[in-house]
């Protein structure tokens, strides 16, 4: 036994892991253990005290984050394509808004572009249709004018309803005019002027006998009025294009519910 003790001591001295610089590998320092244990206790106490001190409203808000605050790590291909097209639409609409304000590149032509837009507004067309209806003395003319009035009223109601549902704002912060408020044309999608001129041009091409130059001028007028709304910063390009589509659909709807001459005469007599 006495001989084995010096041998074990010599063996411990020769062991490299028993040196001072390697002690931390085998046995961590007590201070580190105490600091780690104290930090764990503090974090556990803070975690236990947190839910007790926080209000139930704050806990519900932290648990239910809105979708816009969450990052979508794996978006779908449709989502990527839609967001890309939307970004292109906004960028191109802002570039084409050359008359959005007086400081724009074409700011001096803003009044002329606004005047062009008034030619496609609903209030002047409704007023003009009523005046022509009062002065008309033929049954065929009254029939066409009554159905035109019906188409204009449907256009205002349909566009106002769609804009209230979409609530899309224009590319620029441009306030609607007085006539826009009267026809409830306060949002961007779809463009009310574009739907109206598309419906009117299709209506006149079908029910009026016009020469070819007048037909070409009518189509050009509809296109100019529609894209003038992009130039003044009130609508995006997709708003105008969708307005053209809705205008054509409104024309088809009026053709389906076309009022006969007897119905028109009955309504005129009541009025």
């Amino acid at each position: 036994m006495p001989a084995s003790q010096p041998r074990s001591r010599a063996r411990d001295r020769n062991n490299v892991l028993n040196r001072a610089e390697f002690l931390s590998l085998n046995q961590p320092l007590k201070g580190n253990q105490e600091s780690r244990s104290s930090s764990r206790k503090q974090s556990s106490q803070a975690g236990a005290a947190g839910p007790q001190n926080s209000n139930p409203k704050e806990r519900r808000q932290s648990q239910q984050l809105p979708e816009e605050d969450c990052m979508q790590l794996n978006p779908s291909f449709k989502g990527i394509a839609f967001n890309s097209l939307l970004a292109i639409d906004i960028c191109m609409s802002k570039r084409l808004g050359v008359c959005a304000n007086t400081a724009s590149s074409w700011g001096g032509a803003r009044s002329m572009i606004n005047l062009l837009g008034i030619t496609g507004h609903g209030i002047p067309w409704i007023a003009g249709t009523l005046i022509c209806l009062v002065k008309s003395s033929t049954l065929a003319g009254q029939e066409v004018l009554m159905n035109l009035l019906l188409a204009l009223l449907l256009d205002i109601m349909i566009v106002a309803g769609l804009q209230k549902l979409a609530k899309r704002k224009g590319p620029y912060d441009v306030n609607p005019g007085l006539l826009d408020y009267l026809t409830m044309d306060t949002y961007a999608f779809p463009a009310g002027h574009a739907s109206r001129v598309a419906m009117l041009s299709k209506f006149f091409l079908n029910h009026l006998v016009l020469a070819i130059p007048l037909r070409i001028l009518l189509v050009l007028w509809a296109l100019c009025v529609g894209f003038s709304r992009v130039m003044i910063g009130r609508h995006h390009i997709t708003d105008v294009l969708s307005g053209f589509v809705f205008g054509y659909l409104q024309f088809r709807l009026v053709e389906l519910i076309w009022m006969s001459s007897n119905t028109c005469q009955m309504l005129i007599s009541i009025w």
Side-chain angles (χ1 to χ4, degrees):
M1 290 295 294
S4 62
Q5 290 180 357
R7 287 178 185 173
S8 62
R9 289 175 183 173
R11 205 179 296 131
D12 292 337
R13 269 191 241 110
N14 294 330
N15 192 0
V16 179
L17 297 177
N18 289 330
R19 294 182 183 179
E21 57 267 24
F22 295 109
L23 285 176
S24 61
L25 297 176
N26 295 329
Q27 298 176 357
L29 297 176
K30 295 181 180 180
N32 292 337
Q33 290 180 347
E34 292 176 357
S35 63
R36 289 176 186 173
S37 61
S38 62
S39 63
R40 288 174 185 171
K41 289 179 182 178
Q42 290 175 0
S43 62
S44 62
Q45 289 175 359
Q52 295 176 359
N53 296 331
S54 61
N55 296 328
K57 292 183 179 179
E58 295 178 356
R59 269 181 277 168
R60 281 193 224 108
Q61 291 177 357
S62 63
Q63 290 174 358
Q64 298 178 354
L65 292 174
E67 293 183 359
E68 57 267 18
D69 292 341
C70 301
M71 184 174 63
Q72 191 174 4
L73 298 178
N74 190 18
S76 62
F77 176 76
K78 292 182 180 179
I80 295 173
F82 177 76
N83 292 330
S84 301
L85 292 175
L86 188 63
I88 293 171
D89 178 36
I90 294 172
C91 180
M92 293 298 295
S93 302
K94 283 183 175 292
R95 288 191 176 186
L96 292 176
V98 292
C99 302
N101 48 56
T102 55
S104 301
S105 57
W106 289 15
R110 180 175 171 79
S111 58
M112 185 176 65
I113 299 299
N114 279 326
L115 184 62
L116 180 62
I118 290 175
T119 61
H121 207 281
I123 298 298
W125 277 101
I126 291 175
T129 304
L130 289 174
I131 293 171
C132 293
L133 186 61
V134 170
K135 292 185 176 182
S136 178
S137 58
T138 61
L139 295 178
Q142 291 175 356
E143 180 183 351
V144 172
L145 289 170
M146 281 296 295
N147 285 280
L148 177 60
L149 182 62
L150 174 64
L152 290 170
L153 294 176
L154 283 176
D155 173 74
I156 290 176
M157 290 187 293
I158 291 173
V159 170
L162 291 173
Q163 286 187 357
K164 289 293 184 181
L165 289 175
K167 291 185 178 181
R168 188 187 188 189
K169 295 184 179 180
Y172 290 91
D173 191 12
V174 178
N175 294 324
L178 178 61
L179 293 177
D180 296 328
Y181 280 110
L182 290 177
T183 55
M184 297 173 287
D185 187 11
T186 55
Y187 291 100
F189 179 87
H193 287 67
S195 67
R196 195 169 302 114
V197 295
M199 184 269 297
L200 288 171
S201 60
K202 186 64 177 172
F203 189 92
F204 291 150
L205 289 174
N206 274 43
H207 297 286
L208 294 180
V209 179
L210 300 173
I212 293 178
L214 291 178
R215 288 175 172 265
I216 295 173
L217 287 176
L218 188 61
V219 174
L220 289 177
W221 166 75
L223 293 174
C224 290
V225 171
F227 285 101
S228 69
R229 308 299 289 172
V230 180
M231 295 176 66
I232 64 171
R234 279 280 285 119
H235 297 280
H236 300 86
I237 298 174
T238 53
D239 300 333
V240 174
L241 295 177
S242 61
F244 289 151
V245 174
F246 282 116
Y248 177 77
L249 295 177
Q250 288 166 10
F251 165 76
R252 300 301 302 174
L253 177 62
V254 172
E255 291 291 311
L256 289 175
I257 60 174
W258 185 269
M259 293 185 295
S260 63
S261 179
N262 294 330
T263 305
C264 294
Q265 291 300 313
M266 183 183 65
L267 293 174
I268 291 173
S269 62
I270 293 173
W271 178 37

